[in-house]
Amino acid sequence: MAGCFDATGRADLSRAVRDGEGDDFPEIRVALDLFSAQAGLVERYEEALGQYADHGFWDDAMPGGALATHDGGLMARNVLAGRPAFFHRD
């Protein structure tokens, strides 16, 4: 964010951000909200990918068959819809 302030000629605001101040600036609040949303998205992706990457998820020898057969892409659809991988409505 400091670089953005530098680019717009606001060295004073850039310096405040670099000094660890300015967390009440609207630009900083928006950036924090965006980073938080992005971090949540990446966390959900990693959770689902971790499940899909687990060999046991695809193991046909499991009682009742492979979990992948029962999942049918539900974890991926949940994550893409912004829900946790293991989202249940009940």
Side-chain angles (χ1 to χ4, degrees), residues 2 5-6 8-19 21-22 25:
F5 287 134
D6 282 334
T8 59
R10 295 299 312 261
D12 57 329
L13 297 179
S14 173
R15 192 170 26 265
V17 170
R18 290 180 201 280
D19 290 343
E21 300 171 8
F25 293 168

Side-chain angles (χ1 to χ4, degrees), residues 63-75:
L67 294 172
T69 302
H70 301 287
D71 173 67
L74 181 59
M75 283 193 299

Side-chain angles (χ1 to χ4, degrees), residues 36-74:
S36 293
Q38 189 67 26
L41 177 67
V42 169
E43 185 178 324
R44 288 191 303 274
Y45 283 2
E46 288 177 346
E47 179 185 9
L49 285 172
Q51 292 298 321
Y52 286 133
D54 185 333
H55 180 345
F57 188 75
W58 303 95
D59 187 358
D60 288 330
M62 295 283 291
L67 294 172
T69 302
H70 301 287
D71 173 67
L74 181 59

